[in-house]
Amino acid sequence: MAASNGGGGGAPLVVFDFDKTIVDCDSDNFVVDALGATRRFDDLLQFLPWNTAIDAMMGELHAAGRTAEDVRACLRAAPLSPHVAAAVRACHARGCELRVLSDANAFFVGTVLAHHGLAAFFSGTDTNPAHLDAAGRLRIRPYHDFADPAAAGHGCTLPSCPPNMCKGKVMERILREEEAAAAGRRRRRAVVYLGDGRGDYCPSMKLGEGDYVMPRAGYPVCDLIAAAPPAAAVREWDGFEELERVLLGIVDAEIARAALAATEEEEQDDGGAAAAPPAVSAVVLPPDCRAMPAALLPQAVRVPN
């Protein structure tokens, strides 16, 4: 219910990456390391794409007796800054719609957000699908199917996009939805995108003037943006306290901008005419007291001697 915000009052749509943006870690590596499978995962990555490797790793862990609850326990320990939680709550309170766009997976993202009481603030999550099969083994699938020869994949040519997910394609769909929702208005609401990795470059490039990209300073997406910046305004953040400050600054500025635009639009609709001053009734006084009826003139008072 809390996720029903539709950007009222000019509040922007805020789209978060997950790894190293909402949580301060790579959630795949965090779980694998916590379960003691780091070396084996590194071996799998030698010959499998990342998304396929993490699915295979979950299969091997399940075969070794690890359960979905073991994975959940690891995820509940993943570092999430109180500044991120505060930013999510504050954005929602200001009327923002919040979404997740992540190359993690639905099981990991959902577990972390639920553990921190943040799931209800998000209206949707675009990430690699995940589910528990009949045996209780966690399966992780690609967002864009690339293994099936009959599947088209995502078709993006940017080398920064992994084969299993082009976030830019997802952002294009989100922007189409935003444009459709804004039909009849002068402009759609602004979109703010926060991310850190190479895969966050493509969705950043889909945003336009009036939108915002918030790359994490010192991370790969910053290098890509520096080499070829997007049309959107770029607002870096370095640390989660700054993430909260910068994001809320953008949100407040957009709300103020929308309020000013609404006021100007109302004035234009009224034709710009100033309101007429209220009518004042004229009071006409007689030129002198002789024109007043005798009954209204002051009477002499008799004073006894």
Side-chain angles (χ1 to χ4, degrees):
M1 290 185 292
S4 62
N5 277 352
L13 168 64
V14 182
V15 184
F16 289 85
D17 177 34
F18 182 70
D19 290 336
K20 301 179 184 177
T21 301
I22 290 180
V23 290
D24 193 15
C25 66
D26 179 289
S27 56
D28 288 346
N29 282 327
F30 188 85
V31 168
V32 168
D33 293 347
L35 295 178
T38 304
R39 181 172 297 179
R40 177 55 182 158
F41 188 49
D42 289 342
D43 290 342
L44 290 172
L45 288 172
Q46 296 299 312
F47 59 91
L48 292 175
W50 188 287
N51 179 259
T52 308
I54 191 64
D55 177 64
M57 189 73 260
M58 292 299 105
E60 293 189 12
L61 287 168
H62 177 75
R66 295 292 193 172
T67 66
E69 184 53 37
D70 292 331
V71 176
R72 288 192 187 96
C74 295
L75 291 165
R76 287 193 285 266
L80 189 151
S81 169
H83 290 289
V84 171
V88 167
R89 291 188 171 94
C91 284
H92 188 272
R94 285 163 165 79
C96 295
E97 181 182 356
L98 309 177
R99 297 186 63 88
V100 173
L101 175 52
S102 169
D103 193 18
N105 66 80
F107 187 88
F108 286 16
V109 173
T111 298
V112 170
L113 294 182
H115 174 65
H116 291 277
L118 301 176
F121 296 112
F122 289 86
S123 65
T125 298
D126 289 287
T127 188
N128 297 298
H131 69 279
L132 298 178
D133 66 15
R137 180 253 211 251
L138 178 60
R139 301 306 308 257
I140 299 171
R141 297 304 190 197
Y143 187 90
H144 292 116
D145 191 358
F146 65 95
D148 185 351
H154 54 63
C156 181
T157 59
L158 275 182
S160 55
C161 290
N164 63 289
M165 187 178 201
C166 171
K167 292 185 178 182
K169 296 291 184 182
V170 181
M171 184 61 77
E172 286 178 340
R173 190 207 76 220
I174 291 172
L175 292 175
R176 287 195 300 270
E177 293 170 353
E178 288 296 300
E179 293 290 352
R185 299 202 301 265
R186 290 191 174 183
R187 69 185 293 269
R188 63 167 172 80
R189 61 183 170 178
V191 176
V192 185
Y193 183 68
L194 300 87
D196 70 285
R198 287 172 54 82
D200 297 311
Y201 180 64
C202 193
S204 299
M205 296 302 291
K206 304 300 180 183
L207 300 179
E209 293 184 8
D211 297 321
Y212 301 85
V213 177
M214 286 183 57
R216 187 171 184 178
Y219 281 71
V221 71
C222 276
D223 295 334
L224 295 171
I225 285 174
V234 178
R235 302 285 188 270
E236 290 187 9
W237 57 278
D238 185 6
F240 294 103
E241 183 175 359
E242 190 171 16
L243 179 154
E244 179 185 9
R245 179 180 60 78
V246 173
L247 178 56
L248 294 184
I250 291 172
V251 170
D252 289 342
E254 280 299 306
I255 292 172
R257 181 204 59 76
L260 178 60
T263 300
E264 292 174 347
E265 190 171 329
E266 288 177 3
E267 291 176 351
Q268 291 175 0
D269 291 343
D270 291 341
V280 178
S281 299
V283 178
V284 180
L285 298 177
D288 57 48
C289 291
R290 287 174 297 179
M292 298 177 67
L296 297 180
L297 293 174
Q299 303 297 309
V301 178
R302 295 180 62 86
V303 178
N305 292 330

